[in-house]
Amino acid sequence: MPDLDHVIIGTAGHIDHGKSALVRALTGTDPDTLPEEKARGMTIELGFVFLDDPGYPKQVVFIDVPGHEKFVKTMAAGASNIDAALLVVAADEGIAVQTREHFDILRLLDVKLGLIALTKCDLVDEPRLTELTASVRHFVRGSFLAEAPILPVSALTGAGLPELKSALRAIGLRVGPRPDSGIFRMPIDRVFTMHGFGTVVAGTILAGAVRAGDRVAVYPEGLETRVRGLQVHGSKADHSSIGRRTALNLQDVAKEDLRRGQVAAAPGTLVPTARLDARLDVLASAPREIKHRDRVRLHVGTDEVMARLSIIGAQTVAPGASAAVQLVLERPTVALPGDRYVIRSFSPIVTIGGGRVLDASPEKHKRFSGGVLEGLEKLGGSSRDAVEQMAAQAGGRPQTVQDIARKLGRGEPEVAAAVSELVAGERFVTIPGDKPERYLHQSAYARLSDGLVAAVRDYFEKNPFRPAMPYSDLRASFLKEGDAPTLKLVLDALVAGGALIRKDAEIGLAGREVKADPVEAGLRSRIEGAFRAARFSAPLEDEVRTKLGLNPSAFNPVLAGLLRSGDLVRLAPKVIYHREAVDAARVAVSGLVERHGSVTIAELRDRLGLSRKYAQAMLEYFDKTGFTKRIEDRHVLVSRPGGQ
């Protein structure tokens, strides 16, 4: 079979209006339903048939949807991804209740093209056909079918079939390419088993492409599997792509784990959600206004799930009106912004509205917040507005072009162009060094910057006598909202701008004067005095703390401050001297070197009356700080006496 673009046409109308018979007459083939459905004798499942038309540059695919009122949910699943509609009205019966509901669903799904067939025209006379044509034209006024051809046909006699085929060809040529995110996604509308092959799922590919051997995931359950093989138009193929009816033979997945309503997609590209933000258009024919918290049946993609409607900014939505809503689902599903959906009332079951998904993974909203409504309007607006809003919603977590494209369900080139524009307009901040590049919304950057300064101020309010804030404390606070590269960007800018001061592993506030703490000053004096009095007999930290009767929580911070200020010097992990003892040892080393040309551990030990352990620690400290240098077992000066 040639690799032709598919034109998918859904046949809609009442069960008795001869849809299946018309498709059979057009194609010479019964709509391909599953064997168990054929046995029931009427269309209650989706049927598929291809119109072979030699010389025509596209492949026409008919989806024959159920016309029975009990199976409107199946009709919605079948119509969810069609390119055009063939609305069927029986000449001897006229517009039926189900015709009206099918037509409403087609409009809510934003189908753009179609035509109307008046079937069974052999059963009525010309005046009746004229009258019905006028009635149907009035019925579709103001809709996508307002200017569509209305063609009388007879599946029995063949009358009008050539004209209908010609009209279908004309529509097919008007169907343009679908927007493609480039990431494989296919809502599943059929699941079955084939002898010798195993489990098969079928649907219309909405984006990207798939090949035999690819790994795919089935959402919302997240079942990972491999494509063993695939078919397009009933023929084996090695790949398929956007807009094509495709059957995938899946490896190691049981039929019982699959159902209509799931989505086969590239692994890691969809996130199951229990909430959807959307724009809701209520049908003018809805029997009553929609109320906040109404329970409804949501049809999105090929899925049906119960949900509660949370109306943003209002308590009700009147027939014919629109509103922003959040759909709170009773079980997870998957969708992307831009997907069309339909809602039907819980009871009685009738179609009452639908619209477009704006955000497929939103937070719970404050219903009467103006900012929420403004954000939803941006998500439903231009590419630039949608990209900017999605980044703003990410807060302090920088996003790549791929991240934003996946969340919006848009192509990466489209998103990249919007990101470039937003960077140029200083609405986005680029995180340096990241590959791929990540971007932060300017409002989030400003909030993080202000928050960082506020965190430092808050620390000093709680610790007024501390000279600086440990960087580790600031980092721990920041990482609750941002990440390490973003912290570096924000902190570097604040230091460069003079708002904060950074020295080693501490952060200070510009212009801040440290208050003297009388209690801490007393502790400093006592602890410093203990080490000064010990002279060269360096005591252990715990010995000093115990002798002074202090808790670790009081002792340790003061000790750390004395070490930072240089009043105490840590020569080794368990060796601390007062700086006066270190200065005295430095003088002693200088004198020994002047007399002997160098000094050994034993010579310093004897000179100061130290243990060998402490003499070794002292000389290693002098080596590390550049005062001396070790040559074999001796140490020589590398700086003038008194230097360090």
Side-chain angles (χ1 to χ4, degrees):
M1 183 68 198
D3 191 13
L4 302 177
D5 287 337
H6 284 192
V7 176
I8 302 174
I9 297 177
T11 62
H14 192 267
I15 190 170
D16 293 328
H17 287 192
K19 296 186 291 80
S20 299
L22 177 60
V23 172
R24 184 167 57 249
L26 283 167
T27 64
T29 309
D30 276 322
D32 174 26
T33 57
L34 303 182
E36 58 266 32
E37 302 305 334
K38 289 181 180 178
R40 291 194 174 104
M42 68 175 184
T43 305
I44 63 172
E45 268 296 339
L46 301 176
F48 301 88
V49 64
F50 293 80
L51 176 61
D52 290 324
D53 194 351
Y56 187 66
K58 297 189 178 186
Q59 176 64 61
V60 176
V61 186
F62 287 103
I63 301 181
D64 189 25
V65 302
H68 197 282
E69 61 183 4
K70 292 183 179 180
F71 303 104
V72 173
K73 68 177 184 180
T74 307
M75 178 272 168
S80 61
N81 301 310
I82 62 176
D83 296 308
L86 174 58
L87 186 65
V88 177
V89 179
D92 60 336
E93 295 183 34
I95 300 168
V97 173
Q98 288 314 119
T99 309
R100 296 179 182 276
E101 187 161 21
H102 282 201
F103 179 56
D104 286 337
I105 291 172
L106 294 172
R107 287 191 296 151
L108 292 169
L109 292 175
D110 200 29
V111 177
K112 300 291 189 184
L113 299 170
L115 68 161
I116 303 161
L118 305 183
T119 59
K120 304 182 182 180
C121 67
D122 55 298
L123 300 181
V124 299
D125 55 21
E126 281 299 322
R128 168 59 182 167
L129 276 178
T130 301
E131 177 189 358
L132 181 59
T133 299
S135 176
V136 169
R137 183 64 71 194
H138 179 76
F139 172 64
V140 299
R141 69 192 186 284
S143 76
F144 73 102
L145 291 177
E147 304 298 326
I150 301 176
L151 304 172
V153 295
S154 171
L156 182 64
T157 67
L161 291 181
E163 291 80 4
L164 180 56
K165 283 186 178 182
S166 177
L168 288 169
R169 293 189 191 100
I171 283 181
L173 294 176
R174 292 172 58 194
V175 173
R178 300 184 182 213
D180 190 359
S181 69
I183 302 172
F184 171 64
R185 180 169 68 124
M186 185 186 84
I188 295 171
D189 54 38
R190 291 204 297 176
V191 178
F192 53 96
T193 56
M194 290 183 64
H195 182 69
F197 292 92
T199 305
V200 178
V201 297
T204 302
I205 297 179
L206 296 189
V210 64
R211 292 181 174 275
D214 283 354
R215 293 203 65 79
V216 298
V218 179
Y219 294 96
E221 289 76 9
L223 303 171
E224 286 212 27
T225 180
R226 188 176 69 86
V227 178
R228 178 182 291 161
L230 56 88
Q231 287 190 348
V232 179
H233 189 199
S235 299
K236 184 177 179 180
D238 61 1
H239 74 282
S240 187
S241 58
I242 184 171
R244 289 177 170 80
R245 288 293 310 171
T246 305
L248 304 179
N249 179 201
L250 301 181
Q251 186 177 59
D252 299 328
V253 179
K255 179 185 175 184
E256 293 71 27
D257 294 329
L258 302 172
R259 59 175 173 81
R260 173 185 294 140
Q262 293 172 319
V263 178
T269 59
L270 295 177
V271 178
T273 181
R275 296 179 186 274
L276 294 171
D277 282 346
R279 192 72 193 173
L280 171 64
D281 301 317
V282 181
L283 291 171
S285 59
R288 62 170 178 83
E289 64 183 8
I290 293 178
K291 299 177 181 178
H292 175 64
R293 296 290 298 165
D294 268 355
R295 193 171 186 227
V296 297
R297 302 171 189 272
L298 167 69
H299 300 268
V300 59
T302 57
D303 201 8
E304 180 193 35
V305 56
M306 302 303 300
R308 293 277 182 184
L309 270 175
S310 177
I311 303 172
I312 309 297
Q315 289 293 345
T316 61
V317 189
S322 299
V325 298
Q326 183 168 93
L327 291 147
V328 183
L329 314 184
E330 295 184 11
R331 67 161 172 78
T333 192
V334 286
L336 287 176
D339 286 355
R340 304 294 301 191
Y341 72 94
V342 172
I343 61 168
R344 307 182 77 217
S345 54
F346 176 65
S347 181
I349 306 175
V350 294
T351 301
I352 54 176
R356 185 159 63 97
V357 174
L358 300 176
D359 190 346
S361 55
E363 300 292 330
K364 183 177 180 180
H365 297 313
K366 293 181 180 179
R367 292 177 48 232
F368 292 93
S369 168
V372 172
L373 284 171
E374 180 183 351
L376 291 177
E377 287 177 3
K378 284 189 173 183
L379 286 175
S382 66
S383 293
R384 184 185 188 280
D385 284 347
V387 169
E388 181 176 6
Q389 181 61 23
M390 191 57 72
Q393 290 180 186
R397 304 293 176 182
Q399 304 289 295
T400 65
V401 166
Q402 293 84 350
D403 292 333
I404 299 172
R406 177 178 57 80
K407 291 177 182 178
L408 287 175
R410 303 195 185 204
E412 289 185 19
E414 176 188 354
V415 171
V419 166
S420 296
E421 185 179 344
L422 289 160
V423 170
E426 299 185 350
R427 300 296 295 166
F428 276 13
V429 177
T430 305
I431 307 299
D434 282 359
K435 295 296 179 184
E437 288 187 329
R438 296 188 304 154
Y439 306 92
L440 194 68
H441 193 273
Q442 178 60 42
S443 63
Y445 176 87
R447 187 170 62 253
L448 290 174
S449 181
D450 292 344
L452 206 61
V453 175
V456 177
R457 292 185 187 279
D458 182 63
Y459 177 85
F460 288 130
E461 286 179 7
K462 294 176 181 176
N463 303 275
F465 309 116
R466 298 282 177 86
M469 177 182 185
Y471 172 75
S472 59
D473 289 3
L474 184 63
R475 185 178 189 275
S477 173
F478 185 91
L479 293 184
K480 295 175 183 177
E481 292 192 43
D483 60 16
T486 306
L487 171 59
K488 183 180 186 306
L489 172 69
V490 176
L491 183 57
D492 286 352
L494 289 170
V495 171
L500 296 180
I501 301 167
R502 181 171 185 175
K503 183 178 181 182
D504 298 327
E506 295 182 325
I507 305 297
L509 197 60
R512 174 178 177 264
E513 294 184 3
V514 182
K515 297 180 180 179
D517 180 357
V519 174
E520 184 173 310
L523 289 177
R524 283 177 65 93
S525 178
R526 293 171 65 195
I527 295 170
E528 182 184 357
F531 282 97
R532 179 187 285 116
R535 191 66 173 163
F536 294 116
S537 301
L540 295 174
E541 298 171 38
D542 285 346
E543 290 176 355
V544 175
R545 182 181 61 78
T546 302
K547 183 178 179 180
L548 296 178
L550 299 174
N551 293 324
S553 60
F555 176 82
N556 292 341
V558 177
L559 178 69
L562 287 165
L563 290 167
R564 284 196 301 268
S565 65
D567 294 302
L568 299 181
V569 180
R570 187 183 294 279
L571 304 186
K574 293 187 177 182
V575 181
I576 295 178
Y577 275 96
H578 194 276
R579 61 178 172 80
E580 293 175 359
V582 175
D583 290 342
R586 185 179 288 109
V587 171
V589 167
S590 295
L592 288 169
V593 172
E594 285 180 5
R595 286 195 296 273
H596 305 296
S598 62
V599 62
T600 65
I601 293 173
E603 288 169 347
L604 184 62
R605 176 197 64 193
D606 296 341
R607 173 70 178 79
L608 298 178
L610 300 172
S611 70
R612 179 178 176 82
K613 169 186 172 182
Y614 289 159
Q616 180 179 349
M618 190 70 76
L619 282 173
E620 287 179 349
Y621 171 75
F622 287 152
D623 289 345
K624 183 174 66 175
T625 56
F627 178 62
T628 58
K629 179 174 70 173
R630 179 177 175 176
I631 301 175
E632 296 182 348
D633 63 341
R634 306 193 67 83
H635 299 258
V636 298
L637 296 181
V638 294
S639 63
R640 290 180 299 170
Q644 184 171 338

